[in-house]
Amino acid sequence: MTTEQIDFNSEALRYIKLATDNCALANLRKAARIITQLYDEALRPVGLTATQFTLLSVIAVNQSATINELAAKLVMDRTTVARDLKPLERDEIVVVNVGEHDQRTRQVTLTAKGQQLLMEGAPLRQEVQNRVEDTLGKDQFQTLLTLLASTSRVAPILSRD
């Protein structure tokens, strides 16, 4: 098998380098992996991942939610939310019932166990939040949150033809 050498001075390679150095996606995903690892480690004692904690938090705040509502609030695919709920349902942390008004929907509610895990995990999550804020500094942390929240303005790009 022979491979041709890439011309590292080419214009195409310049764009490839930009894709790693100055790419919103690459940098957001890298930061997300780092932060997720911190939160996962902190929540390990209660047996939850950061994703599960966030999912449970949204359910708790809304007291109950359909899978479609969860997907919309978390900006996730419906099938991903359904898949992420499976172990939580199996472990009796949430209950997924047929919708009251629409048999096609699935209503998700926290069990007493889910509420307890969420309460136990909340201070652990807050510790990480405080550490991240302390590391970045209060102003930079608030700027980060503002910038991340403003990414929702990118959504119209997704609907372009």
Side-chain angles (χ1 to χ4, degrees), residues 82-147:
R83 184 185 67 237
D84 288 350
L85 287 169
K86 292 259 188 252
L88 297 172
E89 186 178 19
R90 178 198 66 219
D91 295 341
E92 299 178 341
I93 296 168
V94 299
V95 174
V96 180
N97 290 312
V98 173
E100 187 176 311
H101 302 293
D102 184 347
Q103 300 291 307
R104 297 170 297 175
T105 64
R106 297 293 174 261
Q107 195 72 32
V108 185
T109 309
L110 291 181
T111 63
K113 180 180 178 181
Q115 293 172 18
Q116 182 64 38
L117 286 175
L118 196 55
M119 296 306 293
E120 289 173 15
L124 302 174
R125 189 216 62 88
Q126 190 59 48
E127 280 180 35
V128 174
Q129 184 87 353
N130 293 342
R131 283 184 15 228
V132 171
E133 185 175 341
D134 290 345
T135 300
L136 293 176
K138 194 173 213 66
D139 289 343
Q140 200 170 10
F141 182 74
Q142 284 307 311
T143 299
L144 174 64
L145 293 179
T146 300
L147 289 169

Side-chain angles (χ1 to χ4, degrees), residues 20-21 23-37:
T20 58
D21 295 344
C23 176
L25 173 64
N27 284 287
L28 278 170
R29 296 208 41 158
K30 187 187 319 180
R33 283 190 296 274
I34 291 166
I35 296 296
T36 299
Q37 289 169 11

Side-chain angles (χ1 to χ4, degrees), residues 15-91:
Y15 289 118
I16 292 168
K17 184 164 176 31
L18 285 174
T20 58
D21 295 344
N22 297 323
C23 176
L25 173 64
N27 284 287
L28 278 170
R29 296 208 41 158
K30 187 187 319 180
R33 283 190 296 274
I34 291 166
I35 296 296
T36 299
Q37 289 169 11
L38 290 172
Y39 282 84
D40 281 348
E41 182 61 34
L43 291 165
R44 188 167 286 123
V46 294
L48 295 173
T49 66
T51 300
Q52 291 171 328
F53 185 88
T54 300
L55 191 56
L56 295 178
S57 297
V58 172
I59 297 166
V61 166
N62 292 282
Q63 297 182 347
S64 179
T66 67
I67 291 175
N68 286 340
E69 290 168 341
L70 291 170
K73 289 180 186 304
L74 295 167
V75 191
M76 292 173 68
D77 183 76
R78 183 190 184 291
T79 57
T80 302
V81 172
R83 184 185 67 237
D84 288 350
L85 287 169
K86 292 259 188 252
L88 297 172
E89 186 178 19
R90 178 198 66 219
D91 295 341

Side-chain angles (χ1 to χ4, degrees), residues 5-17:
Q5 290 294 316
I6 296 174
D7 176 6
F8 286 101
N9 295 315
S10 73
E11 185 72 9
L13 189 64
R14 185 172 77 82
Y15 289 118
I16 292 168
K17 184 164 176 31

